[in-house]
Short mmCIF file of all heavy atoms in Angstrom, two decimals:
data_model
loop_
_atom_site.label_atom_id
_atom_site.label_comp_id
_atom_site.label_asym_id
_atom_site.label_seq_id
_atom_site.Cartn_x
_atom_site.Cartn_y
_atom_site.Cartn_z
N PRO A 282 -28.72 19.29 -2.37
CA PRO A 282 -30.16 19.56 -2.43
C PRO A 282 -30.84 19.54 -1.07
O PRO A 282 -31.93 20.09 -0.92
CB PRO A 282 -30.68 18.42 -3.33
CG PRO A 282 -29.61 17.39 -3.37
CD PRO A 282 -28.33 18.11 -3.16
N TRP A 283 -30.20 18.95 -0.07
CA TRP A 283 -30.80 18.84 1.27
C TRP A 283 -30.67 20.13 2.07
O TRP A 283 -31.31 20.27 3.12
CB TRP A 283 -30.12 17.72 2.05
CG TRP A 283 -28.63 17.85 2.09
CD1 TRP A 283 -27.74 17.33 1.19
CD2 TRP A 283 -27.85 18.60 3.02
NE1 TRP A 283 -26.45 17.70 1.51
CE2 TRP A 283 -26.50 18.47 2.62
CE3 TRP A 283 -28.14 19.37 4.15
CZ2 TRP A 283 -25.45 19.08 3.34
CZ3 TRP A 283 -27.11 19.96 4.85
CH2 TRP A 283 -25.78 19.82 4.44
N GLY A 284 -29.81 21.07 1.66
CA GLY A 284 -29.59 22.28 2.45
C GLY A 284 -28.18 22.79 2.27
O GLY A 284 -27.63 22.70 1.18
N GLU A 285 -27.56 23.27 3.33
CA GLU A 285 -26.22 23.85 3.17
C GLU A 285 -25.24 23.34 4.24
O GLU A 285 -25.58 23.29 5.42
CB GLU A 285 -26.34 25.37 3.29
CG GLU A 285 -25.45 26.10 2.30
CD GLU A 285 -25.84 27.57 2.24
OE1 GLU A 285 -26.85 27.90 1.55
OE2 GLU A 285 -25.16 28.39 2.87
N VAL A 286 -24.05 22.99 3.80
CA VAL A 286 -23.01 22.56 4.73
C VAL A 286 -22.56 23.75 5.56
O VAL A 286 -22.29 24.83 5.02
CB VAL A 286 -21.78 22.03 3.96
CG1 VAL A 286 -20.73 21.49 4.92
CG2 VAL A 286 -22.18 20.97 2.97
N GLU A 287 -22.46 23.56 6.87
CA GLU A 287 -21.91 24.62 7.71
C GLU A 287 -20.38 24.62 7.62
O GLU A 287 -19.77 23.56 7.45
CB GLU A 287 -22.29 24.38 9.17
CG GLU A 287 -23.76 24.61 9.47
CD GLU A 287 -24.04 24.28 10.94
OE1 GLU A 287 -23.53 25.00 11.82
OE2 GLU A 287 -24.75 23.30 11.18
N VAL A 288 -19.79 25.78 7.77
CA VAL A 288 -18.33 25.88 7.82
C VAL A 288 -17.96 26.64 9.09
O VAL A 288 -18.44 27.75 9.31
CB VAL A 288 -17.77 26.63 6.60
CG1 VAL A 288 -16.24 26.63 6.62
CG2 VAL A 288 -18.27 26.01 5.31
N GLU A 289 -17.16 26.00 9.96
CA GLU A 289 -16.81 26.62 11.23
C GLU A 289 -15.31 26.50 11.50
O GLU A 289 -14.66 25.60 10.98
CB GLU A 289 -17.57 25.94 12.38
CG GLU A 289 -19.08 26.09 12.34
CD GLU A 289 -19.56 27.53 12.52
OE1 GLU A 289 -18.76 28.37 12.96
OE2 GLU A 289 -20.73 27.79 12.19
N THR A 290 -14.81 27.38 12.35
CA THR A 290 -13.41 27.30 12.76
C THR A 290 -13.27 26.26 13.87
O THR A 290 -14.13 26.14 14.73
CB THR A 290 -12.96 28.66 13.33
OG1 THR A 290 -13.40 29.67 12.44
CG2 THR A 290 -11.45 28.73 13.46
N ALA A 291 -12.16 25.54 13.84
CA ALA A 291 -11.85 24.62 14.94
C ALA A 291 -11.79 25.41 16.24
O ALA A 291 -11.38 26.57 16.26
CB ALA A 291 -10.52 23.92 14.67
N GLN A 292 -12.21 24.78 17.35
CA GLN A 292 -12.27 25.51 18.62
C GLN A 292 -11.15 25.14 19.58
O GLN A 292 -10.73 25.94 20.40
CB GLN A 292 -13.61 25.25 19.30
CG GLN A 292 -14.77 25.99 18.65
CD GLN A 292 -16.11 25.63 19.28
OE1 GLN A 292 -16.18 24.88 20.25
NE2 GLN A 292 -17.18 26.16 18.71
N LEU A 293 -10.69 23.90 19.52
CA LEU A 293 -9.77 23.44 20.57
C LEU A 293 -8.31 23.74 20.26
O LEU A 293 -7.46 23.68 21.15
CB LEU A 293 -9.94 21.93 20.80
CG LEU A 293 -11.36 21.47 21.13
CD1 LEU A 293 -11.36 19.97 21.37
CD2 LEU A 293 -11.91 22.19 22.36
N GLU A 294 -8.04 24.03 19.01
CA GLU A 294 -6.68 24.34 18.56
C GLU A 294 -5.66 23.33 19.07
O GLU A 294 -5.72 22.16 18.72
CB GLU A 294 -6.31 25.78 18.98
CG GLU A 294 -7.26 26.79 18.33
CD GLU A 294 -6.78 28.22 18.48
OE1 GLU A 294 -5.67 28.44 18.94
OE2 GLU A 294 -7.57 29.12 18.12
N ASP A 295 -4.77 23.79 19.94
CA ASP A 295 -3.62 22.97 20.33
C ASP A 295 -3.97 21.71 21.11
O ASP A 295 -3.16 20.79 21.20
CB ASP A 295 -2.67 23.81 21.19
CG ASP A 295 -1.69 24.55 20.30
OD1 ASP A 295 -1.83 24.45 19.07
OD2 ASP A 295 -0.80 25.24 20.84
N THR A 296 -5.15 21.65 21.68
CA THR A 296 -5.48 20.49 22.52
C THR A 296 -6.45 19.52 21.85
O THR A 296 -6.84 18.51 22.45
CB THR A 296 -6.09 20.94 23.87
OG1 THR A 296 -7.22 21.78 23.58
CG2 THR A 296 -5.08 21.72 24.70
N ALA A 297 -6.84 19.80 20.61
CA ALA A 297 -7.85 18.95 19.95
C ALA A 297 -7.43 17.48 19.92
O ALA A 297 -8.21 16.59 20.28
CB ALA A 297 -8.11 19.45 18.53
N ALA A 298 -6.18 17.22 19.53
CA ALA A 298 -5.73 15.83 19.41
C ALA A 298 -5.63 15.16 20.78
O ALA A 298 -5.89 13.96 20.92
CB ALA A 298 -4.39 15.76 18.69
N LEU A 299 -5.28 15.95 21.82
CA LEU A 299 -5.23 15.38 23.18
C LEU A 299 -6.63 14.93 23.61
O LEU A 299 -6.83 13.79 24.04
CB LEU A 299 -4.68 16.41 24.17
CG LEU A 299 -3.24 16.91 23.95
CD1 LEU A 299 -2.83 17.89 25.07
CD2 LEU A 299 -2.24 15.76 23.89
N TYR A 300 -7.60 15.81 23.46
CA TYR A 300 -8.97 15.46 23.81
C TYR A 300 -9.47 14.29 22.97
O TYR A 300 -10.17 13.40 23.45
CB TYR A 300 -9.90 16.66 23.65
CG TYR A 300 -9.90 17.58 24.85
CD1 TYR A 300 -9.13 18.75 24.86
CD2 TYR A 300 -10.66 17.27 25.97
CE1 TYR A 300 -9.12 19.58 25.97
CE2 TYR A 300 -10.66 18.10 27.08
CZ TYR A 300 -9.89 19.26 27.08
OH TYR A 300 -9.90 20.07 28.18
N GLY A 301 -9.11 14.31 21.70
CA GLY A 301 -9.52 13.23 20.80
C GLY A 301 -8.99 11.88 21.26
O GLY A 301 -9.72 10.89 21.31
N MET A 302 -7.70 11.84 21.62
CA MET A 302 -7.12 10.56 22.04
C MET A 302 -7.73 10.08 23.35
O MET A 302 -7.95 8.88 23.54
CB MET A 302 -5.60 10.66 22.18
CG MET A 302 -4.82 10.81 20.87
SD MET A 302 -5.30 9.72 19.51
CE MET A 302 -5.09 8.10 20.23
N ASP A 303 -8.01 11.02 24.26
CA ASP A 303 -8.66 10.61 25.51
C ASP A 303 -10.03 9.98 25.20
O ASP A 303 -10.40 8.95 25.75
CB ASP A 303 -8.81 11.81 26.44
CG ASP A 303 -9.48 11.42 27.76
OD1 ASP A 303 -8.88 10.62 28.51
OD2 ASP A 303 -10.61 11.87 28.01
N TYR A 304 -10.77 10.62 24.28
CA TYR A 304 -12.08 10.08 23.90
C TYR A 304 -11.95 8.69 23.28
O TYR A 304 -12.70 7.76 23.62
CB TYR A 304 -12.79 11.04 22.94
CG TYR A 304 -14.05 10.44 22.37
CD1 TYR A 304 -15.20 10.34 23.15
CD2 TYR A 304 -14.07 9.92 21.08
CE1 TYR A 304 -16.35 9.75 22.64
CE2 TYR A 304 -15.22 9.31 20.57
CZ TYR A 304 -16.35 9.23 21.36
OH TYR A 304 -17.48 8.64 20.87
N LEU A 305 -10.98 8.54 22.38
CA LEU A 305 -10.82 7.24 21.70
C LEU A 305 -10.45 6.14 22.70
O LEU A 305 -10.89 5.00 22.58
CB LEU A 305 -9.77 7.34 20.58
CG LEU A 305 -10.19 8.23 19.40
CD1 LEU A 305 -9.05 8.39 18.40
CD2 LEU A 305 -11.44 7.70 18.70
N LEU A 306 -9.65 6.49 23.71
CA LEU A 306 -9.32 5.50 24.74
C LEU A 306 -10.57 5.07 25.51
O LEU A 306 -10.74 3.89 25.84
CB LEU A 306 -8.28 6.08 25.71
CG LEU A 306 -6.82 6.00 25.23
CD1 LEU A 306 -5.93 6.91 26.05
CD2 LEU A 306 -6.31 4.56 25.29
N LYS A 307 -11.43 6.04 25.79
CA LYS A 307 -12.64 5.72 26.55
C LYS A 307 -13.57 4.78 25.79
O LYS A 307 -14.31 4.00 26.38
CB LYS A 307 -13.42 7.00 26.88
CG LYS A 307 -12.81 7.78 28.03
CD LYS A 307 -13.73 8.93 28.42
CE LYS A 307 -13.87 9.91 27.27
NZ LYS A 307 -14.79 11.01 27.57
N THR A 308 -13.55 4.89 24.45
CA THR A 308 -14.52 4.13 23.66
C THR A 308 -13.91 2.83 23.10
O THR A 308 -14.53 2.15 22.31
CB THR A 308 -15.05 4.98 22.48
OG1 THR A 308 -13.91 5.47 21.74
CG2 THR A 308 -15.85 6.15 22.97
N MET A 309 -12.70 2.51 23.55
CA MET A 309 -12.06 1.27 23.07
C MET A 309 -12.77 0.05 23.61
O MET A 309 -13.20 0.02 24.74
CB MET A 309 -10.61 1.22 23.55
CG MET A 309 -9.62 1.78 22.55
SD MET A 309 -7.98 1.78 23.29
CE MET A 309 -7.45 0.13 22.86
#
Side-chain angles (χ1 to χ4, degrees):
Chain A
W283 53 270
E285 220 167 281
V286 184
E287 289 178 67
V288 185
E289 296 294 345
T290 313
Q292 286 176 4
L293 305 182
E294 299 191 8
D295 272 3
T296 55
L299 298 182
Y300 277 98
M302 290 315 302
D303 180 65
Y304 172 76
L305 293 175
L306 278 165
K307 283 187 297 177
T308 53
M309 266 175 87

